[in-house]
Amino acid sequence: SVLSAGVIRGTRSEAMICSEKELGIGPEAGKILELDANLTVGQPLPEALGLDDPVLEIDLTPNRPDCTSIIGIAREVAAIQKTRIRYPDYSISDNGSDITAMTSVTIEAPALCPRYAARLVTDIHIKDSPAWLQDCLLSVGLRPINNIVDVTNFVMMETGQPLHAFDFDQLAENRIVVKTARKGEAFTTLDQKDRQLDDEMLMICDGQKSVAIGGVMGGLNSEIEASTRRVLIESAYFNPGSVRRTAKTLGLATDASYRFERGVDPKGTVEALNRTAGLMVELAAGRLVSGLIDEHPRPVPTPTIDLSVPKTNRLLGTSFDVQKIRSLLESIEFTIDKQTTRTLTVVPPSYRVDITRPEDLMEEV
């Protein structure tokens, strides 16, 4: 925003008292933004507030869902720089299986939901997220809401895996059932709009009712509120075609559906779940219930692809030897299963859902 001088009640004014929202740097509109008393008069505001970091705007083709995350972009940068990416610590201290006595997950539509994982965090305190987390979300155009919802959005942007947090005490029978909707069923989503469903749409339900449209948006009847004390975290892999059809039919495009309909990492479900649970314990003073649920009725197979070195060079117009091609593919975390002087047997990483044939590998080279 640009401020210009004006006249207020006959007096020339060259300033304006602003809230976060008026400055476009936060959601708070009810009070004046107070600056640190040690700042220098005349200092540019973006510099003073630490908002002058560079921003990269990246256009993606639909076949690269792995790059809809900070880690995905970092992998590409690491390969270009010939360095190795440092991943966040996804480990979690967890011994036991108490969660199985408190909740369960039943998948009745495995073709539409091949995997559904869940963890439970109790004794949480809902409050505003710390400044660093709010700043991360604002920097990518997301609005901070509260420490629980913000963590799910943060991990989605970090890993590319959408997550959802349910108020556990709003789930009838404290359990999850994944199944298709009833034709003509009405459902109120988090944006407070009533949606008419059909029997091809995947729904996340509790013991009695629908609580979310799978891969698209949660429901108003199980949202996180100030009174929430127990949270069930969802991390799932949904059929891309199913999510695409549902989002299009409902005219409901979300950050989650954008990723699910292009294909998330089918083997990254639990890592993202653990990352989310750990941050919720840290930022909401919660207690992690031991154990996790990981219903996985239809594992997604990882392809093994034979790549011909002569054909690769012929189609690319290059003269790479087998070792050069191997080093290029390994720099972006592809695994070489077998090697001869003319052929490589390549296993793509699970997050590269676009790699299914030799020509895809040639494109990477």
Side-chain angles (χ1 to χ4, degrees):
S1 299
V2 178
L3 300 181
S4 57
V7 177
I8 301 175
R9 291 187 292 275
T11 302
R12 179 179 173 82
S13 172
E14 296 181 335
M16 177 179 174
I17 297 176
C18 299
S19 66
E20 285 183 357
K21 188 171 184 179
E22 287 169 313
L23 291 169
I25 60 172
E28 181 59 62
K31 62 182 181 181
I32 298 165
L33 174 63
E34 294 188 21
L35 302 180
D36 191 312
N38 296 322
L39 293 175
T40 303
V41 174
Q43 185 179 7
L45 187 63
E47 178 185 309
L49 297 181
L51 301 175
D52 57 343
D53 54 320
V55 174
L56 302 179
E57 292 190 9
I58 300 168
D59 289 328
L60 297 179
T61 50
N63 67 318
R64 292 303 303 271
D66 60 299
C67 287
T68 60
S69 67
I70 299 299
I71 286 177
I73 296 300
R75 286 193 197 104
E76 298 295 303
V77 173
I80 293 168
Q81 293 184 327
K82 296 181 173 58
T83 57
R84 301 295 294 179
I85 183 174
R86 293 197 310 273
Y87 287 94
D89 183 7
Y90 293 138
S91 62
I92 199 165
S93 178
D94 181 23
N95 295 309
S97 57
D98 292 344
I99 191 172
T100 57
M102 300 177 68
T103 188
S104 64
V105 172
T106 303
I107 300 177
E108 296 183 4
L112 304 185
C113 178
R115 188 174 195 179
Y116 192 106
R119 277 192 179 274
L120 187 59
V121 179
T122 65
D123 304 329
I124 64 167
H125 297 275
I126 303 295
K127 56 185 178 180
D128 289 340
S129 295
W132 69 263
L133 178 51
Q134 292 194 39
D135 183 53
C136 283
L137 296 179
L138 289 167
S139 71
V140 293
L142 295 179
R143 178 174 61 90
I145 298 173
N146 58 53
N147 51 351
I148 296 300
V149 176
D150 291 354
V151 164
T152 64
N153 284 330
F154 173 82
V155 176
M156 176 183 69
M157 296 307 303
E158 180 180 80
T159 66
Q161 169 68 52
L163 301 113
H164 190 69
F166 295 102
D167 185 323
F168 187 61
D169 293 302
Q170 297 298 320
L171 299 178
E173 302 173 17
N174 293 139
R175 65 190 182 99
I176 291 290
V177 181
V178 185
K179 59 185 180 181
T180 53
R182 300 185 309 275
K183 187 174 179 62
E185 177 183 350
F187 181 70
T188 305
T189 42
L190 280 170
D191 56 3
Q192 302 184 17
K193 293 182 180 179
D194 292 333
R195 311 283 177 177
Q196 290 297 122
L197 310 177
D198 64 45
D199 54 10
E200 292 187 348
M201 295 179 180
L202 186 70
M203 301 301 293
I204 312 303
C205 308
D206 59 20
Q208 300 175 6
K209 62 186 182 299
S210 296
V211 292
I213 302 174
V216 182
M217 184 178 282
L220 200 60
N221 55 9
S222 60
E223 72 171 329
I224 302 301
E225 299 178 330
S227 59
T228 299
R229 291 296 173 263
R230 299 194 294 177
V231 168
L232 181 79
I233 310 166
E234 166 194 286
S235 181
Y237 178 82
F238 298 117
N239 179 285
S242 170
V243 175
R244 190 181 307 117
R245 286 191 299 271
T246 297
K248 186 175 181 179
T249 300
L250 296 176
L252 185 57
T254 62
D255 288 316
S257 68
Y258 178 85
R259 288 161 175 79
F260 279 126
E261 67 187 31
R262 286 159 174 78
V264 301
D265 181 359
K267 294 184 179 179
T269 309
V270 170
E271 281 191 343
L273 177 65
N274 289 345
R275 174 72 161 161
T276 304
L279 285 170
M280 285 186 183
V281 169
E282 176 186 343
L283 301 180
R287 182 182 70 84
L288 179 67
V289 175
S290 69
L292 66 87
I293 294 172
D294 184 15
E295 291 298 314
H296 201 182
R298 293 197 181 183
V300 178
T302 300
T304 300
I305 306 166
D306 289 329
L307 180 64
S308 164
V309 173
K311 187 174 181 180
T312 297
N313 283 319
R314 185 166 67 251
L315 291 181
L316 295 182
T318 54
S319 55
F320 297 140
D321 61 23
V322 66
Q323 198 58 40
K324 176 64 174 178
I325 292 175
R326 176 174 186 150
S327 67
L328 290 169
L329 292 174
E330 286 181 334
S331 75
I332 48 175
E333 302 187 9
F334 285 65
T335 301
I336 308 304
D337 198 28
K338 290 186 293 185
Q339 174 182 330
T340 70
T341 57
R342 296 174 61 84
T343 307
L344 291 169
T345 301
V346 184
V347 180
S350 59
Y351 54 79
R352 288 303 302 271
V353 296
D354 58 310
I355 305 295
T356 60
R357 55 184 183 158
E359 289 77 9
D360 297 327
L361 294 174
M362 295 175 193
E363 183 179 11
E364 293 307 301
V365 171

